[in-house]
Amino acid sequence: DAGITQSPRYKITETGRQVTLMCHQTWSHSYMFWYRQDLGHGLRLIYYSAAADITDKGEVPDGYVVSRSKTENFPLTLESATRSQTSVYFCASIRGSGANVLTFGAGSRLTVL
Amino acid sequence: DAKTTQPPSMDCAEGRAANLPCNHSTISGNEYVYWYRQIHSQGPQYIIHGLKNNETNEMASLIITEDRKSSTLILPHATLRDTAVYYCIVRPIYMEYGNKLVFGAGTILRVKS
C-alpha cells in the first residue's frame, strides 16, 4: 500500500529492553523524521534523515539510535528503554524541494513498565 | 527550537470563524508557512501552506502579513470536529542537510456548541 506506515502500532515493554520502531514510506521521499509526543504535549523531534546513510540529531536524541540503510525505511531503536520513553512516536517524510507536504504515520504508542 | 510561536489555547463557538494566529518573525524569504492539525492522538494532518500570498482551500484560509512575520489560519465555519491542536511551522522551499522541522506546542482549539 502506498503511504507511510509505522509498526508496531502498540508496544508494551519493560525497562532495560531494546525496542525498535519501524517506519516505511513508499514515495522515495528523501527526508524522514521521528518525533515523540508525550501526553498533553506537542511534537518533539528526535532524529531526522536527509537521505540514505545521512542522519542527524533533533531536539531530544538521548537514548535513541537510528539508521537508514534504504531510502524507504527509517527505524528508531531504544537500546535500553526507560519509563521516561513512554510516549507516542510519529514518523514523517517529505520530498526535498517544492511545496510538498510533510506526511505523518499513524503513530506507535510505546509503554515502558 | 521552534521558529514559530502560537497561543496555547483558544475557544470558538460552533458555526463561527476560528482565527488562529502564528508569529514567525524570523522567517526568511525562502521559507513557507505550513499549518497542520492533530485530532486526539492521530498523526498530524496537513491543512494549508503559503509563501507570500493569501491562500484558500476547501478546509481553510491562510492570511500572511505583508512583512511575512505572522500569519492567521481561518476556519470559516468551525464545527465540533475542528476541535484539535493546530501547529504552524516554517520550512525551506528547498530542504538541505541540517534543516530540522521543529514543531512548537501548537494551539489547542476548542469548538463549543
Side-chain angles (χ1 to χ4, degrees):
Chain A
D1 292 339
I4 183 166
T5 55
Q6 295 184 230
S7 61
R9 292 291 314 281
Y10 302 92
K11 176 75 176 179
I12 299 175
T13 191
E14 296 177 335
T15 302
R17 299 268 187 150
Q18 183 180 79
V19 176
T20 296
L21 306 180
M22 303 300 295
C23 180
H24 174 78
Q25 51 103 354
T26 61
W27 299 299
S28 298
H29 285 170
S30 52
Y31 283 81
M32 297 186 74
F33 302 83
W34 274 107
Y35 297 89
R36 63 175 287 174
Q37 186 172 40
D38 301 329
L39 188 63
H41 291 82
L43 299 161
R44 291 188 291 171
L45 181 64
I46 305 172
Y47 269 95
Y48 68 104
S49 169
D53 297 321
I54 301 176
T55 62
D56 203 355
K57 298 177 180 179
E59 302 171 281
V60 288
D62 294 343
Y64 302 93
V65 175
V66 293
S67 62
R68 196 162 175 211
S69 58
K70 292 183 178 181
T71 299
E72 61 267 29
N73 296 324
F74 191 36
L76 176 73
T77 298
L78 291 67
E79 292 191 306
S80 178
T82 65
R83 290 193 182 90
S84 64
Q85 293 176 309
T86 292
S87 191
V88 180
Y89 292 84
F90 290 101
C91 177
S93 72
I94 190 172
R95 194 172 297 154
S97 64
N100 296 295
V101 174
L102 180 67
T103 304
F104 285 81
S108 294
R109 184 179 295 274
L110 176 67
T111 301
V112 183
L113 302 176
Chain B
D1 291 342
K3 299 176 68 174
T4 61
T5 54
Q6 301 175 251
S9 64
M10 296 182 64
D11 291 337
C12 178
E14 188 177 22
R16 302 298 293 269
N19 297 284
L20 293 90
C22 179
N23 180 285
H24 32 80
S25 58
T26 61
I27 193 170
S28 66
N30 66 345
E31 288 182 314
Y32 289 109
V33 178
Y34 273 75
W35 282 82
Y36 290 81
R37 76 177 181 184
Q38 186 179 27
I39 298 174
H40 298 301
S41 295
Q42 299 176 18
Q45 294 178 312
Y46 165 79
I47 301 173
I48 197 168
H49 73 278
L51 186 60
K52 297 180 182 179
N53 301 320
N54 299 335
E55 302 288 344
T56 296
N57 63 20
E58 65 279 4
M59 290 182 65
S61 295
L62 174 61
I63 308 298
I64 302 174
T65 58
E66 191 169 344
D67 63 8
R68 302 185 70 243
K69 292 184 177 182
S70 66
S71 61
T72 300
L73 178 74
I74 301 173
L75 307 178
H77 305 287
T79 70
L80 298 178
R81 289 178 294 179
D82 292 321
T83 293
V85 180
Y86 289 78
Y87 299 97
C88 77
I89 66 168
V90 296
R91 57 143 288 203
I93 296 174
Y94 298 100
M95 295 283 292
E96 296 178 345
Y97 175 70
N99 290 146
K100 306 176 185 180
L101 295 185
V102 176
F103 284 72
T107 296
I108 300 172
L109 175 67
R110 299 184 185 90
V111 181
K112 299 182 176 181
S113 59

